[in-house]
Amino acid sequence: FNVPLLKTPVDPAKISAWESANPDPALVYPPRNQFIASSFDIKGGSKSRVGGPDAPAPLVVPPEIVHECGAMRLWHRLDDRFDQPRVNAYFHVTLPAIDASAEAYVCADMLTLCVHDRLQDTVRYPAELASLNAGLDVVGQHTMLSLTFDGFHDKLPNLVKAYFEAVADFDVTDSRFEKIKEKR
């Protein structure tokens, strides 16, 4: 690249100072990533298929309702096709008041942005490094909050718990709110 290069000896006193310097206490390793999976067991998979793993996968296997009450309905479907230790979880929380006014919708939308912002450094970033993803949005003709999660089944419950706790214990400082509002 024809870049000029200059090679000079380093003063021994400077080398000695470097060798005896105390490490900067601000330079530390980050905390252990709680979202890195340690179990990659396949739950179900092609071996659970009727007729064995060599039988063709059915075109559509609907999920089953495993719990239903006045407050919720819980569906479950075990993978029988892809043989991966991954989970997709979808939660829809119906909040009819979101659709009551434009102000209510904007407040719900700001809630989602504030929760994402609050969890960015401590939850979202480490989770994404570990191949876990989360979403929180206002959906369904603006009548519900949608929480979506996907990733390795081993640590996904930690991510789900962090998001539900952040929504339940919602708190935002005025300065963070102003920064988030400016982005919108």
Side-chain angles (χ1 to χ4, degrees):
F1 293 109
N2 294 326
V3 176
L5 173 67
L6 177 62
K7 186 175 179 182
T8 60
V10 178
D11 180 25
K14 187 170 267 212
I15 292 175
S16 177
W18 288 341
E19 291 174 341
S20 63
N22 290 327
D24 185 343
L27 297 176
V28 295
Y29 287 111
R32 184 178 182 92
N33 189 337
Q34 66 176 337
F35 298 106
I36 295 177
S38 56
S39 171
F40 298 95
D41 298 335
I42 305 297
K43 309 284 185 196
S46 60
K47 292 178 185 169
S48 68
R49 238 185 254 148
V50 176
D54 295 328
L59 293 176
V60 177
V61 176
E64 299 176 41
I65 296 175
V66 294
H67 177 79
E68 187 169 13
C69 64
M72 64 182 254
R73 183 180 301 149
L74 180 62
W75 301 77
H76 178 266
R77 182 183 181 284
L78 200 57
D79 168 52
D80 65 350
R81 184 170 297 194
F82 299 108
D83 291 336
Q84 292 192 13
R86 298 184 65 82
V87 172
N88 293 312
Y90 307 96
F91 299 89
H92 297 283
V93 181
T94 303
L95 300 170
I98 293 174
D99 199 32
S101 69
E103 180 183 9
Y105 172 78
V106 170
C107 288
D109 189 49
M110 288 300 293
L111 168 93
T112 67
L113 295 172
C114 291
V115 168
H116 279 308
D117 181 75
R118 175 178 168 194
L119 298 177
Q120 179 59 40
D121 294 336
T122 57
V123 175
R124 287 186 72 189
Y125 179 69
E128 287 176 7
L129 291 177
S131 296
L132 300 178
N133 299 296
L136 174 61
D137 299 293
V138 179
V139 297
Q141 302 296 339
H142 313 302
T143 59
M144 66 179 76
L145 287 179
S146 172
L147 293 102
T148 58
F149 305 94
D150 68 85
F152 293 107
H153 66 75
D154 183 35
K155 301 295 178 160
L156 197 68
N158 299 355
L159 182 61
V160 172
K161 181 179 178 191
Y163 263 81
F164 274 99
E165 286 176 350
V167 170
D169 299 330
F170 178 71
D171 185 33
V172 65
T173 64
D174 290 341
S175 62
R176 286 307 306 161
F177 183 81
E178 289 302 319
K179 287 182 180 181
I180 294 165
K181 186 172 82 170
E182 287 301 317
K183 287 182 184 177
R184 204 51 164 175

